[in-house]
Amino acid sequence: MELNTVYFYTVAILDWIPLLETDRFKQIVLDSLIHLVKREKLIVYGFVIMPNHIHVLWECKAKNGKEMPHASFMKFTGHEFLKELRTIDSPLLNKFKVDRNSRDHQFWRKNALPVIMYDRKILEQKLSYTHYNPLQPHWNLVIDPNDYYFSSCSFYEQGDNRFDWLTHYMDVL
């Protein structure tokens, strides 16, 4: 991914395991996004955190040390997932065990999908897809997309400021 380019970014948990089913793990994802936004490394335009994957519309603004912000996001969330699973002594931790020189555990799939948002129409389509993801029949998490807390939908639809770290895409694009 390049700096100063808006992407629709999708990444899933390894083997589609529903690690993000509990709010504590979703909060780890949010905390990482918020941290990178506050440090002016990322601009986040929209997101949804599903039980086993996330969709984020974001723009990487500056490197975080030597790393691109999306790499810092993946690394930080992985470390926090590991710490949390160890703290609660979860048997789920074994599902993420890998035999690699660089690490003992892996949480995110390696085939993340960044798609460049070339124009506002495509961005709006991806944002709508993101916001309606929790309503899909196989998820059926809420009836109204505004009711799903771990989504930017209510920020756009109701002017909800609980995610005041988000940037409205129309303010920039």
Side-chain angles (χ1 to χ4, degrees), residues 97-101 103-104:
K97 189 110 176 96
V98 292
D99 187 20
R100 298 213 171 90
N101 288 340
R103 68 180 61 122
D104 295 327

Side-chain angles (χ1 to χ4, degrees), residues 132-156:
Y132 282 88
N133 206 240
L135 279 65
Q136 295 300 315
H138 58 283
W139 294 117
N140 203 26
L141 299 173
V142 290
I143 295 170
D144 181 336
N146 289 292
D147 293 337
Y148 191 67
Y149 182 84
F150 294 95
S151 164
S152 56
C153 186
S154 63
F155 171 82
Y156 284 99

Side-chain angles (χ1 to χ4, degrees), residues 62-108:
K63 287 188 174 185
N64 189 30
K66 294 181 181 182
E67 290 181 324
M68 289 292 285
H70 69 280
S72 294
F73 169 80
M74 303 291 277
K75 187 189 298 184
F76 174 81
T77 53
H79 286 300
E80 292 299 305
F81 294 158
L82 179 61
K83 188 166 32 172
E84 182 66 17
L85 288 170
R86 284 181 173 156
T87 298
I88 62 175
D89 196 25
S90 173
L92 195 56
L93 184 58
N94 289 331
K95 293 186 182 248
F96 297 103
K97 189 110 176 96
V98 292
D99 187 20
R100 298 213 171 90
N101 288 340
S102 61
R103 68 180 61 122
D104 295 327
H105 295 85
Q106 180 179 335
F107 294 94
W108 296 107

Side-chain angles (χ1 to χ4, degrees), residues 158-172:
Q158 300 175 336
D160 184 350
N161 283 328
R162 66 181 158 187
F163 298 124
D164 61 353
W165 48 273
L166 289 171
T167 298
H168 197 296
Y169 73 92
M170 289 182 74
D171 292 343
V172 180

Side-chain angles (χ1 to χ4, degrees), residues 34-52:
I34 293 166
H35 175 77
L36 290 165
V37 167
K38 288 186 175 175
R39 294 197 56 233
E40 298 180 352
K41 305 302 179 187
L42 278 179
I43 297 174
V44 178
Y45 301 104
F47 73 95
V48 68
I49 305 169
M50 300 299 290
N52 62 9

Side-chain angles (χ1 to χ4, degrees), residues 110-143:
K110 289 207 175 274
N111 62 344
L113 180 64
V115 178
I116 295 175
M117 297 291 96
Y118 289 103
D119 62 37
R120 185 183 284 187
K121 183 179 178 184
I122 293 170
L123 185 143
E124 289 171 344
Q125 289 172 343
K126 294 298 186 184
L127 191 61
S128 178
Y129 173 81
T130 296
H131 292 160
Y132 282 88
N133 206 240
L135 279 65
Q136 295 300 315
H138 58 283
W139 294 117
N140 203 26
L141 299 173
V142 290
I143 295 170

